[in-house]
Amino acid sequence: MDYDATDRFSEAEEAEIQRIVAADATGDERAIEAALRPKSLDEVIGQQRVREQLGLVLEAARARGRAPDHVLLSGPPGLGKTTLAMIIAAEMGSPLRLTSGPAITHAGDLAAIISGLNEGDVLFVDEIHRMSRAAEEMLYMAMEDFRVDVIIGKGPGATAIPLEIPPFTLVGATTRAGLLPGPLRDRFGFTAHLEFYEPEDLDQIVHRSAGLLDVHLTAEGSAEIAGRSRGTPRIANRLLRRVRDYAQVRADGTVTRDVAMSALELYEVDTLGLDRLDRGVIDVLCRRFGGGPVGLSTLAVAVGEERETVEEVAEPFLVRNGFLARTPRGRIATPAAWAHLGLVPPAPGVTDATLFED
């Protein structure tokens, strides 16, 4: 199906179609995710090296009877960073306190959180790279010396009151590890980077989630969903729920390969996991600009989306899967993009659609 920028869904329909392959979770989805999360390291599927390394850290800490080292988890959204934080707390038999970097806007916010910690507690800070600078500097001392200095008053009369904190474990999660300052990264005793999942692992995850959701599916149906999940368990679980709905309403309730294909075709998720926006970007790039190079602003206007949407939502997946390349002159379509659309790339020198960014 060709993409036409004038053939637009309503805002609600467009948001739903984009959400189905987005790696971020919505508010309602978090409640469903909670029921599907593994409760121990033994239940985690995939991420073999991270599981083994983290298991050693936790086992050694239990043997010493002390809180484990601070843990930094990095990687794209939807790969299980929050799940691992919950497992760390469960494996240590400790309470888990949750917060996020954007919520900590002042040093006082952080002081209020960590002053309420008990010995051995696990503090999980999601998107830790988005903390304020003042809070980061206070966190350095809290992580290393287990104390913070609370400033009372202002100006020359201000007084610093040291506040001792029981030993705790900080688990930080970030999708952009490069934005973390060096002094903060260095204070984590264990750092793990989560990779995208292989289809075989996602197949197991879909089977496990289907059992928890009481969904009847065949091996072929599970493999079809896993293959379109963009290497992300959150997307796999989301696609499973949408295919389940389709099977319940338009089939006999069993998710077979044909049912999964029909359902995902309805939601415009193709065999490689590309959605309407992804295909629109490479379609416009190939058909209208001869494969590029073309500037990002021009490409966004041609697709009918905001520049930030194309750059932050569509491009990462297209670049990672070899459909699009960024060059100093602009974006270009790769041979894989032409092949995926069933088009023949022009011969070298036939077209020179070089469009620079504004």
Side-chain angles (χ1 to χ4, degrees), residues 137-160:
E137 294 175 353
M138 175 179 284
L139 190 58
Y140 298 160
M141 185 178 297
M143 295 173 67
E144 197 165 46
D145 301 328
F146 296 110
R147 75 180 186 92
V148 294
D149 290 335
V150 179
I151 307 299
I152 305 297
K154 296 182 179 179
T159 303

Side-chain angles (χ1 to χ4, degrees), residues 265-304:
E265 182 180 355
L266 175 66
Y267 286 104
E268 297 193 288
V269 180
D270 69 18
T271 55
L272 297 182
L274 276 69
D275 71 340
R276 182 181 176 87
L277 176 60
D278 299 323
R279 290 192 305 275
V281 169
I282 60 175
D283 190 282
V284 164
L285 188 56
C286 293
R287 294 181 188 273
R288 298 190 186 180
F289 301 115
V294 58
L296 178 60
S297 297
T298 303
L299 183 60
V301 170
V303 176

Side-chain angles (χ1 to χ4, degrees), residues 154-234:
K154 296 182 179 179
T159 303
I161 300 178
L163 177 64
E164 299 295 330
I165 304 168
F168 70 98
T169 297
L170 173 68
V171 179
T174 178
T175 56
R176 306 182 68 180
L179 296 183
L180 284 176
L184 181 56
R185 286 198 305 269
D186 293 342
R187 283 170 169 79
F188 287 97
F190 174 70
T191 300
H193 180 76
L194 274 63
E195 304 287 349
F196 286 101
Y197 285 65
E198 296 296 327
E200 296 78 12
D201 293 331
L202 289 173
D203 193 4
Q204 296 182 50
I205 290 173
V206 171
H207 272 289
R208 177 182 179 275
S209 298
L212 294 174
L213 295 174
D214 196 23
V215 176
H216 300 284
L217 82 166
T218 65
E220 294 79 9
S222 175
E224 190 67 30
I225 295 172
R228 304 192 190 200
S229 298
R230 303 165 76 112
T232 306
R234 178 176 291 156

Side-chain angles (χ1 to χ4, degrees), residues 21 30 98 120 187 202 221 273 307 322 335 352:
V21 292
R30 295 185 187 279
L98 295 94
R187 283 170 169 79
L202 289 173
R307 174 191 173 111
D352 187 16

Side-chain angles (χ1 to χ4, degrees), residues 11 43 104 163 202 234 248-249 254 258 264 292-294:
E11 291 186 5
E43 296 181 19
I104 305 175
L163 177 64
L202 289 173
R234 178 176 291 156
Q248 179 180 341
V249 175
T254 300
D258 290 340
L264 295 174
V294 58

